[in-house]
């Protein structure tokens, strides 16, 4: 394995860019090959079997780019496909759920944690299960928020309508008096401000992307795979709408995205 | 061609069920093979090339069920793929856009028509072009409403949040004093009441599904393809989440959906 090879990061679309951003910040000398499955987005309402098929195709594609590790930068794909991928492929593979669950379990004081995510992530109970592995005494309350991702994609981030939608979705979680809320979908950090306004300042919001980047750094160190070179070059691929993706990416990432390429993911 | 063969109807997901419903009402002795591309929904934000590829696969699948005609029950696919499909396949093929445009052109009194739909449909200008073919003196105003379909899928039909979103989207169209508004996405008839409330009673809402069913009846008559038998049997296929689709379909259709089958559409 070439330690100067890039890291593969994938998501159903643009959401995983919040994970790529954290990796760029925490491990700035690693290169990233990003794939956004914009032709088949969203993943949140699709079945486990479909998500596994899609994720497998994407890893096959990333391997053609000689990646040394893969980050599943999508909560739904982490929930449904990560375990299968780890069995099938022989490189370090990291999801966003386990790191997010770990921070939540370590952060909560009153042992009442909320999880918000897509239908797929929430119904999988994966956050709850990981948190209970770490501490069985924590009560976990979950709520699917299917409109959050479309609202982010519409660009209505700090917006009265998004606030209304958030109030309706989060009402139950507030009643449960949680002190920690996991943003269990990579789109959600982009409406973090609105979610915080609804929940109040006493609730700590957990963005799994940060901890995922730290886990990746540790995994690379343990496998002797940290980049020893100096040249960093990120590359972006999508399954549809490269230009639209590029302009969105440029509003999120600390680096400039010069080019994004369309590929036919169904061929992998 | 067997005149007692079924009619193929397809959509990106559940929206086309509003078209299937009109066909069941207007031509009750025809059987329908419905395909909803629930694994790759939504189509509205995808590129023309991708929509053509997906639509071609679906027609190939429908042909394995010996359909005698195909209704493209999705505005985005009608806008992007219908023309290509009509060239490639040798059976009657009808979209929802042309019939919808015809009603709008015939209905408007003040010659000011509004179109709402997905980004793909609106940016294609297809409604505007068809309306201008019929009457160049009609002014057409369009607005993409990307959140309407997710709101319908969330089930927030007659809802204050949907009303707020509709008010924001439709504000410009109201300023243009249109007297006719085309519901240019098959999801939208399901929030017809909210849209009417925002626009006021003086604006006439056009649901292209109704006129599409009438066009289909005419096309079948002209091609001597009307069903001469008595047995009507509708069948439903999706690319993901058959059970979820079935329960949604049962809330929309006048018949009971007994079974929905999952198929792998990428194989066609």
């Amino acid at each position: 394995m070439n330690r100067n090879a890039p890291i593969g990061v994938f998501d159903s679309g643009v959401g995983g860019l919040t994970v790529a951003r954290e990796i760029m910040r925490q491990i700035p000398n690693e290169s990233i090959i990003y794939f956004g499955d914009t032709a088949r987005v969203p993943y949140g309402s699709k079945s486990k079997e479909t998500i596994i098929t899609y994720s497998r195709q994407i890893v096959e594609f990333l391997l053609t780019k000689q990646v040394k590790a893969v980050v599943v930068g999508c909560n739904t794909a982490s929930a449904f496909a990560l375990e299968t991928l780890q069995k099938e492929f022989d490189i370090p593979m990291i999801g966003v759920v386990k790191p997010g669950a770990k921070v939540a379990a370590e952060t909560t004081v009153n042992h009442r944690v909320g999880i918000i995510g897509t239908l797929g992530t929430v119904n999988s109970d994966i956050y709850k299960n990981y948190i209970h592995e770490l501490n069985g005494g924590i009560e976990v309350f979950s709520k699917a928020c299917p409109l959050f991702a479309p609202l982010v994609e519409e660009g209505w981030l700090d917006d009265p309508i998004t606030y209304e939608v958030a109030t309706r979705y989060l009402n139950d979680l507030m009643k449960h008096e949680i002190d920690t809320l996991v943003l269990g979908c990579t789109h959600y950090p982009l409406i973090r401000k609105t979610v915080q306004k609804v929940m109040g300042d006493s609730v700590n919001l957990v963005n799994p992307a940060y901890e995922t980047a730290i886990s990746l750094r540790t995994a690379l160190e343990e496998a002797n795979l940290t980049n020893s070179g100096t040249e960093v070059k990120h590359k972006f691929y999508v399954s549809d709408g490269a230009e639209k993706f590029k302009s969105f990416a440029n509003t999120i990432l600390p680096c400039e995205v010069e080019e994004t390429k369309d590929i036919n993911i169904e061929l992998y």
Side-chain angles (χ1 to χ4, degrees), chain A:
Chain A
M1 187 71 74
N2 174 5
R3 64 188 302 164
N4 294 333
I7 292 156
V9 178
F10 77 88
D11 178 50
S12 60
V14 296
L17 288 168
T18 63
V19 180
R21 177 172 66 180
E22 285 303 325
I23 295 170
M24 291 173 187
R25 283 176 182 159
Q26 307 303 327
I27 339 178
N29 53 338
E30 297 291 342
S31 296
I32 291 174
I33 304 284
Y34 186 94
F35 177 77
D37 199 359
T38 45
R40 304 186 292 196
V41 68
Y43 279 9
S45 50
K46 286 162 193 159
S47 71
K48 180 168 181 169
E49 290 65 39
T50 294
I51 300 305
I52 289 175
T53 305
Y54 288 1
S55 301
R56 192 184 282 130
Q57 286 173 327
I58 295 168
V59 175
E60 291 287 3
F61 164 73
L62 291 172
L63 287 174
T64 67
K65 303 290 167 192
Q66 280 80 44
V67 296
K68 64 183 171 187
V70 168
V71 176
V72 184
C74 166
N75 283 271
T76 311
S78 298
F80 285 159
L82 180 62
E83 212 172 307
T84 306
L85 297 176
Q86 284 173 328
K87 277 180 203 146
E88 292 179 2
F89 297 95
D90 196 26
I91 55 170
M93 220 166 269
I94 286 173
V96 286
V97 173
K98 213 167 186 170
K102 187 165 168 281
V103 191
E106 290 167 357
T107 307
T108 181
V109 175
N110 73 358
H111 287 186
R112 301 173 78 79
V113 171
I115 309 293
I116 52 176
T118 65
L119 270 176
T121 302
V122 164
N123 289 343
S124 77
D125 274 338
I126 188 166
Y127 271 103
K128 190 191 277 186
N129 296 341
Y130 276 138
I131 289 173
H132 283 167
E133 273 178 27
L134 296 166
N135 183 341
I138 295 175
E139 279 198 87
V140 179
F141 306 93
S142 305
K143 177 73 187 172
C145 307
L147 283 165
F148 276 176
L151 282 163
V152 167
E153 278 166 19
E154 184 66 327
W156 295 3
L157 306 182
D158 188 16
D159 185 287
I161 286 177
T162 305
Y163 184 82
E164 282 305 312
V165 173
T167 303
R168 189 175 302 178
Y169 280 145
L170 302 175
N171 194 28
D172 281 350
L173 295 180
M174 285 194 287
K175 282 188 196 148
H176 289 304
E177 298 183 339
I178 58 169
D179 71 353
T180 302
L181 178 62
V182 179
L183 305 174
C185 168
T186 49
H187 278 83
Y188 299 177
L190 302 171
I191 51 165
R192 189 189 178 107
K193 222 167 133 182
T194 301
V195 172
Q196 188 82 68
K197 214 191 288 178
V198 172
M199 296 303 297
D201 286 341
S202 62
V203 173
N204 185 42
L205 302 188
V206 172
N207 175 6
Y210 172 81
E211 197 67 18
T212 300
I214 305 294
S215 293
L216 173 65
R217 188 172 62 197
T218 309
L220 293 178
E221 283 165 1
E222 284 172 357
N224 264 320
L225 282 174
T226 51
N227 195 322
S228 61
T230 51
E231 206 202 354
V232 174
K233 184 143 185 58
H234 307 306
K235 289 185 180 168
F236 299 85
Y237 298 86
V238 291
S239 47
D240 198 19
E243 278 308 305
K244 196 172 140 198
F245 176 90
K246 195 180 126 186
S247 65
F248 197 94
N250 273 320
T251 66
I252 292 181
L253 296 179
C255 68
E256 204 194 333
V257 178
E258 282 164 24
E259 199 188 7
T260 301
K261 281 189 190 143
D262 265 317
I263 61 141
N264 183 352
I265 193 66
E266 292 183 11
L267 297 179
Y268 291 87

